[in-house]
Amino acid sequence: MRPLDLLILAWRGLTRRPVRTLLTALGLGIAVAGLVVFLSLGEGVRQVFTAQFRSVGPDVQLTLDRTQGGLLPPANLPDSVVSRVQAAATSLGAVRVTPVVTLLRQSLDPAQSAVYYGLPAAQGIGALFQGLRADRGRLLAATDEGRAVAVLGHSAARNAGVEVGGSVDVLGTPVRVIGVLQGGQGLNDTFTFLPLTTLQRVGGTPGRISLIAVTLRDPDRAPQVAATLARELQLDGQTRGDVLAVVNRALRVTDAARIGISVVALIVGGLAVANTVAMGVFERVREFGTLRAIGARPGTVRALVLTESVLLALVGGAGGVLVGMAGNAGVNAYTRGLAGIDAAALTPGVILMALAVSTGLGLLAALIPAQTSARVPVTEALNRV
């Protein structure tokens, strides 16, 4: 039997029972859509962080402990070490040393969560994040050190519902908003920037900092400088690439969790396909017997059942990809409004993986029914009522 004839017979077998076929494809499609959305979230967040850390952040970041490094290390480093870092880093080509406090306020409502950065007011936000400009109001100035003032990212101001001159709650302390940044700055849109000593006071970490940022005259020397400072000062030194690697490791862990959740739904979808194929084989024993009687080999019958299952899986997988694209659009619409970023990115790799998984499920689901259909004796099949 020619492959085209086999394909036509398989399609006719599926369309003979349209309701059952549609429901099975729908169940598998929903499972595949979940996989697409979950994997797209990981890809989107990874792209956001990669783009962000290629252009901003310190050349070298010094923390107390690598296991607590990354984006938002705790404030566990005494600020007395800053002078030691300044002395050691200057001889290594540093042009700026910036103590930083990072704090996170978490909430069940993402719009109420906040990321706080405390920076020396005299150095300003540009010491750590370059290219940020005020859309309304102004940025931090040297005279703001110690005062209860803040500059909010565009999304942070919108989520808090405040404007310049208004007041925002920072860890239980009212702080006056002196500026709102221009939008379109990615993750920076969600940050709240305060003078260093102000955040230390309201955050309950006086005399403690989270990290020391070192800006170099020659950023290409960052790995050597980080290693030298870490060795001399007994601290942990990380470059932009090291911080990004920490983020990627964390994202891989969340990828595994998302895939695990998707696998459960995919197993259910695969069982639905297996049930549909098995029922189809049981109901069409006489048909298969007739095919055998007119010369079809057992392998042909087996291929027909496998083809039907793969077609069903591909239809469900393609539908799942389309539903996943719609889901990604909804996710991105929400995250753009919340943080000004696209959190979901549908890459060709994600699409190929989704289709490969659905096809693989179709093949696995049909293995036993295909073997059964090929082994039924012709006489018994023709005598079946």
Side-chain angles (χ1 to χ4, degrees):
M1 184 179 291
R2 295 180 303 172
L4 180 59
D5 294 331
L6 190 68
L7 193 63
I8 292 173
L9 278 177
W11 182 253
R12 287 177 178 174
L14 291 175
T15 55
R16 193 179 304 169
R17 300 163 185 82
V19 175
R20 182 192 302 168
T21 299
L22 179 62
L23 290 177
T24 304
L26 183 61
L28 182 59
I30 291 174
V32 171
L35 176 66
V36 168
V37 172
F38 284 147
L39 292 181
S40 297
L41 278 171
E43 288 298 321
V45 173
R46 188 174 286 107
Q47 289 179 13
V48 168
F49 278 113
T50 300
Q52 191 81 9
F53 281 90
R54 280 177 178 169
S55 58
V56 300
D59 297 319
V60 174
Q61 173 177 303
L62 299 173
T63 56
L64 187 63
D65 184 2
R66 177 177 289 267
T67 61
Q68 297 178 327
L71 296 177
L72 300 171
N76 57 6
L77 190 64
D79 56 12
S80 58
V81 77
V82 175
S83 58
R84 294 170 50 208
V85 172
Q86 182 76 59
T90 300
S91 61
L92 296 174
V95 295
R96 186 188 301 117
V97 173
T98 308
V100 181
V101 174
T102 61
L103 292 174
L104 172 65
R105 184 183 70 188
Q106 293 179 303
S107 172
L108 293 177
D109 180 3
Q112 298 305 313
S113 298
V115 176
Y116 302 112
Y117 270 89
L119 301 160
Q123 294 188 21
I125 299 172
L128 198 62
F129 300 96
Q130 299 177 2
L132 299 186
R133 287 172 173 73
D135 181 54
R136 302 181 295 280
R138 62 177 178 84
L139 301 181
L140 294 176
T143 55
D144 293 322
E145 193 63 63
R147 299 173 57 202
V149 296
V151 175
L152 274 60
H154 186 269
S155 296
R158 185 183 62 247
N159 293 338
V162 296
E163 279 293 342
V164 175
S167 179
V168 64
D169 179 88
V170 177
L171 303 174
T173 300
V175 173
R176 185 168 61 89
V177 177
I178 61 171
V180 175
L181 299 176
Q182 294 176 348
Q185 303 297 325
L187 291 175
N188 296 330
D189 281 356
T190 65
F191 296 163
T192 297
F193 300 94
L194 299 95
L196 177 66
T197 54
T198 301
L199 187 55
Q200 287 176 321
R201 183 178 71 252
V202 302
T205 60
R208 315 292 289 184
I209 56 177
S210 302
L211 62 95
I212 300 174
V214 179
T215 303
L216 300 175
R217 184 176 296 104
D218 181 8
D220 291 336
R221 296 190 63 242
Q224 299 93 320
V225 173
T228 301
L229 291 176
R231 183 177 61 253
E232 292 182 0
L233 302 173
Q234 299 301 303
L235 297 173
D236 182 77
Q238 296 176 300
T239 64
R240 282 196 190 102
D242 295 330
V243 175
L244 188 58
V246 172
V247 174
N248 281 327
R249 283 196 296 271
L251 289 175
R252 281 196 292 270
V253 172
T254 62
D255 284 343
R258 287 191 295 269
I259 290 173
I261 295 172
S262 299
V263 165
V264 175
L266 288 168
I267 290 174
V268 174
L271 290 175
V273 174
N275 180 67
T276 296
V277 175
M279 290 180 65
V281 168
F282 178 77
E283 294 170 352
R284 297 161 60 197
V285 170
R286 281 184 64 86
E287 178 184 328
F288 294 145
T290 302
L291 287 173
R292 293 283 306 282
I294 61 177
R297 297 182 178 182
T300 302
V301 176
R302 187 184 304 114
L304 177 60
V305 175
L306 288 173
T307 302
E308 286 186 13
S309 183
V310 169
L311 276 176
L312 180 59
L314 282 175
V315 169
V321 170
L322 293 176
V323 174
M325 292 173 64
N328 285 350
V331 169
N332 286 336
Y334 175 73
T335 55
R336 282 192 208 105
L338 180 68
I341 61 172
D342 286 338
L346 184 60
T347 64
V350 171
I351 294 175
L352 290 175
M353 178 178 289
L355 293 177
V357 167
S358 63
T359 303
L361 281 175
L363 284 172
L364 288 175
L367 287 178
I368 295 178
Q371 287 295 107
T372 301
S373 66
R375 290 175 179 173
V376 176
V378 176
T379 54
E380 178 184 336
L382 291 176
N383 290 328
R384 186 75 64 86
V385 177

